[in-house]
């Protein structure tokens, strides 16, 4: 009865360095390319857009470990180390021989893992003397995280929030405003990119791609202003490795090692965070852990996309990024997991998928909510719709283990809670949600436009 | 810069016993009385309404320590021990010599301290063979807690939710439904008590008092069904002492002892929980800690009510309880801190207030939200509107310490987070909230009706 439930690390065990997986990859991720000159991007090329240290981290393929500044580590103390939890009640409900663990990133004050990168991004901008930053947000999790981080380091923040989320998730907007940020529904009339898409498609509900275009444009036009991105980029994945680094120590406390590591997948930040620190033991051949990225069936870039150079945003303001993509003009269905509605995958994850280190599965919306409700009723926590994809994949693996009669150790990342997504659960419980699966035609159509 | 921020206890340090303060009080709280016979209530008299062990706990004035069942302690592991946090960033913003600590009960999966009593209440009902339970909820925090606890121990639950909250806080309703509970807006047509008040006052927005009447009536009419209450009663305060017992150990880790302990005050459950374990050292004369209950100016039973026997509910179904009260027909203004909209205080707290162990302050709604926003922007956590009252009182004490140039150690209970109360913050930030202060006439009017 009294199985140990939560594995907690003391404050002193907050990692002092992030893990830079690119330094240990045999096949390095391809570089980003300037769409005009077709030349490889260097750190300096990114300085107009990002803080200098973030730009350097973005292209750093040599240093395996990167120091976490004391000022950032001090802010991490607000919620880190986060708990590693054994999902004993879920195991019972599934009657599985599998041991299921989850890293609970939902305990951050903003409700998700996004704060792990928001804090260093705000900090490095502050160091550069930047006063204003801009960003985009899909479901609102990144925006809320950066809103608090900006306040914590004394920066002003403007957030372009994907219109459908702005309407579906008013509480996330209120959260950003409570922390002092300015929030604009995207597409908006405040940028050329926004005006163009509103003119072309008056009923357009917005997408991360468009919101990124708007945020970049505003940053470029504003004095002493930089841009910040919450996923996809290498420096974001780098910051998120703090999740897996803690989890590794905590799995040791539990005296186990994961056979399978699972994260939901939008741009790749939480998946990278939980996976990379464990993956380094696969590189050495010491371990054979499987890494499973759980993406929505409505936005299947990993399972059905193509590996090619593509823009990170809808308009084409970003450099060209080597990625698994559905095409930067692809507009995913309005599923509630707004954080997973992105057309491409970061360059590191894309390379690792290509090289066979990562598997991908696609999860239908109804299956994700079924998993989320079972999780809530057993483990107590109502998960974010995004996280439900990881839970569904973990349940599938646990049931497979049951069929095979094998004790597997499964670890997934609970990227966030669902307190501000309850309207989605309402619709699910009322039977009003549907699955959205993308047709092959749709995919080939948008891909040829790349 | 690197002050220690969070003080965490290991799972093994979850208390094994609750602290029953009545056993150590010089002046015992007066007994509850049967309104018909005018006789003192014994445990057996409560059996029709409550689980037997809960009824025994309710009248137990002899055992100082009461064992926590293993089954309950096992569920506590889902979120306990909760962190004790040094509010370093808030201290900086206030530029105060005071050290401010808060016990973070918002990390429970239901978002508040209410789960501390919901779990044992569900458990003891299960032990009795009860299959169905009923309850009421104001802001929804108790209802959500009991929804998960009922599911965790396999009970069916019906929740009468105060109508104004049902409408203002739809996410809390969704949470209860996600955990599997049935939720009914109160007043409803499903009970005699509800029908009567709807008939008399068609636009009545509901109150905790009315919802209690409805829940009791349904429990009395239903086979194998008991009732559960989330505050006011002695057994609820008993369960909540787990907050202060943990906090006491954590303050030791911080090498400090509180000069002032603060909790917001509705029926008294979270205030009792944080206070009682520290208060026992006042009883022995060993310590001279001040205990401050922070109530809303719109419902000032402690600062402006009278000590007398009164009903716990609007209709008069409960026993007569010795309490500081505004009269059981008193309907508080529709402030957003729904959990503090209750006319009376529990009998233990009432006795302690009478005996001078407790002080009370009243906080205006706008002051409470100002405090909450400052807390969010410094410590990151957006607090529940109820908790904002405790924060406001803590800030007042910290500013007083600054004026006096004294280092005071202040501890308050962060009873819950505000993720599902963002519409209240919206209104506050838009300048649409007002203060509600009760007039002396109103108070004397309702009191004479008792």
């Amino acid at each position: 009865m009294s199985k140990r439930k939560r594995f907690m690390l003391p404050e002193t065990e907050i990692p002092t360095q992030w893990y830079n997986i690119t330094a240990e990859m045999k096949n390095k991720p391809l570089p980003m390319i300037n769409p005009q000159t077709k030349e490889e991007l260097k750190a300096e090329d990114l300085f107009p857009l990002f803080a200098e240290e973030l730009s350097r981290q973005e292209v750093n393929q040599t240093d395996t470990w990167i120091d976490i500044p004391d000022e950032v580590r001090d802010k991490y103390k607000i919620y880190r180390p986060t708990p590693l939890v054994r999902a004993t009640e879920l195991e019972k409900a599934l009657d599985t021989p599998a041991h299921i663990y989850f890293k609970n990133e939902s305990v951050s004050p903003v409700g998700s893992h996004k704060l792990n990168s928001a804090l260093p991004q705000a900090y490095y901008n502050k160091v550069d003397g930047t006063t204003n930053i801009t960003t985009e947000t899909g479901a609102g999790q990144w925006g809320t995280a950066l809103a608090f981080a900006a306040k914590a380091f004394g920066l002003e923040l403007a957030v372009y929030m994907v219109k459908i989320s702005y309407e579906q998730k008013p509480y996330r907007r209120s959260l950003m405003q409570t922390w002092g940020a300015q929030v604009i529904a995207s597409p908006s009339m405040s940028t050329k990119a926004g005006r163009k898409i509103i003119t072309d498609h008056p009923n357009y509900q917005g997408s991360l791609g468009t919101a990124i275009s708007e945020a970049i444009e505003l940053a470029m036009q504003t004095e002493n202003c930089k841009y910040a991105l919450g996923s996809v980029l290498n420096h974001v994945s780098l910051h998120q490795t703090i999740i897996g680094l803690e989890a590794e120590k905590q799995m040791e406390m539990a005296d186990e090692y994961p056979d399978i590591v699972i994260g939901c997948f939008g741009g790749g930040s939480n998946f990278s965070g939980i996976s990379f620190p464990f993956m380094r033991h696969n590189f050495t051949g010491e371990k054979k852990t499987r890494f499973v990225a759980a993406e929505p069936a409505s936005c299947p870039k990993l399972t059905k996309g193509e590996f090619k150079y593509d823009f990170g945003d809808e308009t084409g303001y970003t450099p060209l990024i080597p990625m698994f993509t559905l095409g930067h003009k692809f507009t995913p269905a309005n599923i509630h997991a707004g954080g997973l509605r992105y057309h491409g995958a970061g360059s590191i994850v894309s390379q690792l998928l290509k090289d066979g280190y990562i598997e991908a599965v696609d999860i239908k919306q109804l299956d994700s909510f079924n998993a989320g409700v079972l999780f809530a009723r057993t483990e107590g926590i109502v998960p974010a719709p995004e996280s439900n994809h990881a839970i569904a994949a973990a349940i599938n693996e646990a049931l497979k283990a049951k069929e095979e009669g094998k004790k597997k150790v499964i670890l997934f990342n609970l990227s966030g809670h669902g307190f501000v997504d309850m309207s989605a659960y309402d619709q699910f419980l009322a039977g009003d949600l549907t699955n959205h699966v993308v047709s092959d035609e749709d995919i080939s159509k948008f891909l040829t436009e790349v």
Side-chain angles (χ1 to χ4, degrees), chain A residues 98-142:
Chain A
H99 292 191
I100 308 175
Y101 293 84
F102 63 93
K103 181 73 169 161
N104 186 1
E105 291 292 304
S106 80
V107 300
S108 109
V110 303
S112 83
H113 71 292
K114 291 290 187 189
L115 196 53
N116 300 333
S117 186
L119 287 169
Q121 291 198 44
Y123 168 74
Y124 289 122
N125 271 292
K126 186 70 181 175
V127 167
D128 280 3
T130 304
T131 54
N132 293 56
I133 48 177
T134 70
T135 197
E136 76 295 324
T137 197
Q141 281 169 328
W142 168 247

Side-chain angles (χ1 to χ4, degrees), chain A residues 40-238:
Chain A
E40 180 173 326
L41 252 73
K42 295 185 186 54
E44 306 84 80
D45 300 321
L46 295 168
F47 287 177
L49 207 53
F50 297 113
E52 297 194 0
E53 178 57 22
L54 296 171
S55 304
R56 280 188 287 269
Q57 289 174 1
E58 186 61 27
V59 298
N60 185 334
Q61 301 193 337
T62 48
D63 301 315
T64 308
W65 297 98
I66 303 218
D67 287 346
I68 303 176
D70 283 346
E71 291 81 355
V72 172
R73 216 166 153 270
D74 244 31
K75 300 287 183 197
Y76 277 160
K77 288 183 190 171
I78 290 176
Y79 63 106
R80 306 210 71 87
T82 63
L84 177 82
V85 187
R86 172 95 184 262
T88 45
E89 310 304 305
L90 178 62
E91 288 173 16
K92 266 186 239 164
L94 298 174
D95 188 24
T96 173
H99 292 191
I100 308 175
Y101 293 84
F102 63 93
K103 181 73 169 161
N104 186 1
E105 291 292 304
S106 80
V107 300
S108 109
V110 303
S112 83
H113 71 292
K114 291 290 187 189
L115 196 53
N116 300 333
S117 186
L119 287 169
Q121 291 198 44
Y123 168 74
Y124 289 122
N125 271 292
K126 186 70 181 175
V127 167
D128 280 3
T130 304
T131 54
N132 293 56
I133 48 177
T134 70
T135 197
E136 76 295 324
T137 197
Q141 281 169 328
W142 168 247
T144 52
L146 197 61
F148 171 57
K151 180 57 71 179
F153 287 107
L155 302 171
E156 294 301 320
L157 171 67
V159 183
Y160 286 91
M161 184 173 188
V162 173
K163 195 173 161 201
I164 179 75
S165 292
Y166 189 91
E167 284 159 8
Q168 274 183 350
K169 301 174 194 287
Y171 281 21
R172 283 246 170 72
R173 172 181 50 69
S174 314
L175 280 167
M176 290 185 257
Q177 291 166 334
T178 299
W179 280 308
Q182 195 201 342
V183 188
I184 310 111
S186 166
S188 78
M189 297 297 281
S190 67
T191 64
K192 232 162 57 180
R195 284 192 297 275
K196 177 164 187 338
I197 200 154
I198 287 179
T199 310
D200 294 350
H201 311 279
N203 293 321
Y204 186 61
Q205 292 294 291
S207 73
L208 266 181
T210 305
I212 294 174
S213 298
E214 294 206 88
I216 291 178
E217 192 182 317
L218 181 66
M220 295 292 87
Q221 289 170 349
T222 309
E223 202 184 344
N224 219 3
C225 183
K226 294 278 169 71
Y227 165 71
L229 185 68
S231 192
V232 183
L233 295 177
N234 301 346
H235 66 267
V236 181
S237 293
L238 173 74

Side-chain angles (χ1 to χ4, degrees), chain A residues 365-380:
Chain A
Q365 178 157 264
L366 292 178
D367 292 338
S368 76
F369 275 94
N370 264 319
V373 169
L374 177 61
F375 187 77
R377 291 182 179 181
T378 50
E379 295 296 322

Side-chain angles (χ1 to χ4, degrees), chain A residues 8-16 73 81 242 245-246 249:
Chain A
M8 304 294 298
L9 291 169
E11 198 164 283
T12 47
E13 292 288 324
I14 296 173
T16 55
R73 216 166 153 270
I242 196 165
L245 291 169
E246 286 179 8
K249 293 187 205 176

Side-chain angles (χ1 to χ4, degrees), chain A residues 308-330:
Chain A
K308 52 167 75 180
Y309 271 97
D310 195 6
F311 289 108
D313 67 322
E314 196 266 342
T315 302
Y317 287 156
T318 70
L320 285 165
I321 305 171
M323 44 162 60
F324 274 89
T325 179
L326 295 165
H328 66 280
K329 298 276 185 197
F330 179 84

Side-chain angles (χ1 to χ4, degrees), chain A residues 373-399:
Chain A
V373 169
L374 177 61
F375 187 77
R377 291 182 179 181
T378 50
E379 295 296 322
I381 303 165
V382 177
E386 291 82 5
S387 312
N388 285 345
H389 292 73
I391 298 171
I395 289 175
N396 289 345
E397 293 291 345
L399 293 176

